[in-house]
């Protein structure tokens, strides 16, 4: 019936597999946020997710489906961000070894967190070349399975479970705003919304400095850009995926952008008003609603707050400089 990489059936199966590994996160509302946006906003708080971001959903779903003869050889991921920690923890919880390839100049706190979650960290020099050859060598030497951050059906379906929980809890929505990098969450969200809330517009939100998904959707082909300079460090991918893009083309209404200044403003809003800590990338969707960047008047709007991993000192510097 469909030639897309995933269907809603895959999201339902994923929800079952990740139960007990990923948290069912709360949905929060705020009359102040509603007044500021002119809409009714439902915030899906993945900043409260295990490892601090939604990525454990896809990671847990992918690891649960490793063929029995591949489990012993473990999994490999290359990431300095939320995917790394998600793979490390999801693997450990399922009794699978993980190796995470990270740049040697990644923040010490991220390297330490990945190790603490049980991942073996292999460092590489990012100025000497990309991580792929390092990861590929591990795959060849150990027979391990490489798990990419977004362009994989099991990852995409797992990420969709966040929006499944959201719609099941609050009912049909008019619009859903999704922070977007490679489009794993966006494609899982779009498939889910189509099934549970037909007619709901699913809109991806990218940093203005890195609008490759917007360019891709508008031009009808995958556009590749240079690594963008933005504080949204979870949305610095250079292009969307071969599997995520067709889903976006079919089911995503639009991609819009937020500036770094708008992200900082939104981080401050969440801390001041709702007493929650959201990382810059996690603020992309909310920035559109709270800044009234598109017309949402009177609509029921789901907003995924994708993560809360930001060093407190960095948070303080960013928000203080803007205050
Ligand atoms: C990975 C990530 C995203 C983007 O997810 P994609 O599936 O790559 O589009 C958004 N926000 C946070 C916090 C992330 O870690």
């Amino acid at each position: 019936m469909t030639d897309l990489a995933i269907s809603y059936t895959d999201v339902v199966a994923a929800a079952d597999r990740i139960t007990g590994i990923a948290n069912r996160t709360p949905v929060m509302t705020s009359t102040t946020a509603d007044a500021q946006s002119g809409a009714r906003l439902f915030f899906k708080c993945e900043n409260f997710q295990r490892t601090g971001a939604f990525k454990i959903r896809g990671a847990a779903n992918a690891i649960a489906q490793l063929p029995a003869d591949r489990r012993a050889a473990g999994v490999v991921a290359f990431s300095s961000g939320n995917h790394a920690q998600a793979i490390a923890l999801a693997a450990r919880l399922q009794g699978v070894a993980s190796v995470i390839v990270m740049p040697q100049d990644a923040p010490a706190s991220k390297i330490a967190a990945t190790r603490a979650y049980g991942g073996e960290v292999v460092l590489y020099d990012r100025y000497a070349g990309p991580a792929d050859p390092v990861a590929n060598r591990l795959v060849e030497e150990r027979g391990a399975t490489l798990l990419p951050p977004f362009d994989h059906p099991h990852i995409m379906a797992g990420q969709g479970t966040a929006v499944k929980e959201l719609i099941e809890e609050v009912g049909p929505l008019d619009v859903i705003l999704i922070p977007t990098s490679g489009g794993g969450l966006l494609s899982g969200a779009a498939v889910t919304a189509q099934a549970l809330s037909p007619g709901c517009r699913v809109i991806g939100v990218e940093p203005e400095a890195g609008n490759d998904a917007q360019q891709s959707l508008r031009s009808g082909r995958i556009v590749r850009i240079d690594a963008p300079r933005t504080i949204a460090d979870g949305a610095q991918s250079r292009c969307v995926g071969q599997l995520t893009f067709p889903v976006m083309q079919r089911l995503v209404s639009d991609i819009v952008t937020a500036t770094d200044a708008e992200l900082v403003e939104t981080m401050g809003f969440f801390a001041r008003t709702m007493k929650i800590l959201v990382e810059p990338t996690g603020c992309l969707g909310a920035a559109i609603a709270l800044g009234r960047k598109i017309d949402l008047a009177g609509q029921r709007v789901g907003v995924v707050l994708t993560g809360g991993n930001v060093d407190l000192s960095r948070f303080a510097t960013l928000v203080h400089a803007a205050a």
Side-chain angles (χ1 to χ4, degrees):
M1 204 186 90
T2 169
D3 53 347
L4 298 178
I6 58 166
S7 69
Y8 180 59
T9 314
D10 300 313
V11 179
V12 174
D16 207 37
R17 281 186 208 104
I18 71 171
T19 301
I21 300 174
N23 286 338
R24 191 177 180 100
T25 53
V27 178
M28 293 178 62
T29 58
S30 155
T31 47
T32 307
D34 287 356
Q36 183 167 327
S37 65
R40 181 94 175 92
L41 304 182
F42 299 94
F43 297 108
K44 177 65 171 167
C45 293
E46 291 293 297
N47 55 315
F48 296 137
Q49 184 53 266
R50 287 181 93 172
T51 71
F54 70 90
K55 284 209 175 62
I56 192 152
R57 295 173 179 275
N61 187 46
I63 291 165
Q65 289 178 88
L66 284 178
D69 60 342
R70 302 294 298 275
R71 286 177 64 92
V75 292
V76 178
F78 55 92
S79 162
S80 58
N82 291 330
H83 180 61
Q85 290 156 57
I87 293 289
L89 181 61
R92 194 189 70 197
L93 292 173
Q94 297 182 74
V96 170
S98 68
V99 182
I100 315 296
V101 181
M102 302 177 96
Q104 67 195 188
D105 57 347
S109 59
K110 294 216 163 154
I111 297 174
T114 305
R115 288 198 173 119
Y117 287 127
E120 177 192 344
V121 175
V122 171
L123 299 173
Y124 78 102
D125 178 0
R126 73 163 120 188
Y127 302 102
D132 321 36
V134 180
N136 286 335
R137 185 164 45 75
L138 288 163
V139 168
E140 271 165 35
E141 282 173 8
R142 305 189 186 191
T145 302
L146 184 66
L147 292 178
F150 51 83
D151 210 24
H152 188 296
H154 300 168
I155 301 284
M156 294 156 66
Q159 317 304 33
T161 61
V163 165
K164 177 176 182 289
E165 291 173 13
L166 170 62
I167 299 174
E168 283 174 353
E169 182 162 336
V170 306
L173 295 165
D174 299 308
V175 177
I176 301 180
L177 298 171
I178 301 284
T180 299
S181 182
L185 178 63
L186 181 60
S187 51
V191 163
T192 303
Q194 192 203 24
L196 296 183
S197 184
C200 173
R201 287 188 296 145
V202 177
I203 298 177
V205 187
E206 282 184 304
E208 189 175 276
N211 70 335
D212 62 286
Q214 183 182 57
Q215 291 183 47
S216 301
L217 203 65
R218 292 182 181 177
S219 69
R221 63 181 180 87
I222 296 175
V223 173
R224 176 182 284 268
I225 60 170
D226 290 337
R229 292 178 66 91
T230 166
I231 60 168
D233 51 5
Q236 286 181 304
S237 65
R238 298 177 51 203
C239 60
V240 298
Q242 302 286 335
L243 301 179
T244 59
F245 186 55
V247 180
M248 290 158 61
Q249 282 186 298
R250 181 91 59 88
L251 298 174
V252 168
S253 300
D254 200 5
I255 311 253
V256 297
T257 62
T259 65
D260 281 4
E262 289 163 344
L263 297 179
V264 170
E265 174 70 32
T266 305
M267 285 164 64
F269 175 90
F270 282 122
R272 271 192 311 274
T273 309
M274 296 176 69
K275 323 301 171 196
I276 59 177
L277 188 66
V278 186
E279 65 182 274
T281 314
C283 288
L284 282 163
I288 298 302
L290 294 171
R292 299 200 184 211
K293 296 199 69 182
I294 58 178
D295 183 16
L296 299 170
Q299 306 205 357
R300 290 167 52 82
V301 180
V303 183
V304 181
L305 306 184
T306 46
N309 290 326
V310 52
D311 284 344
L312 217 44
S313 59
R314 182 158 176 266
F315 177 88
T317 305
L318 287 170
V319 172
H320 181 72

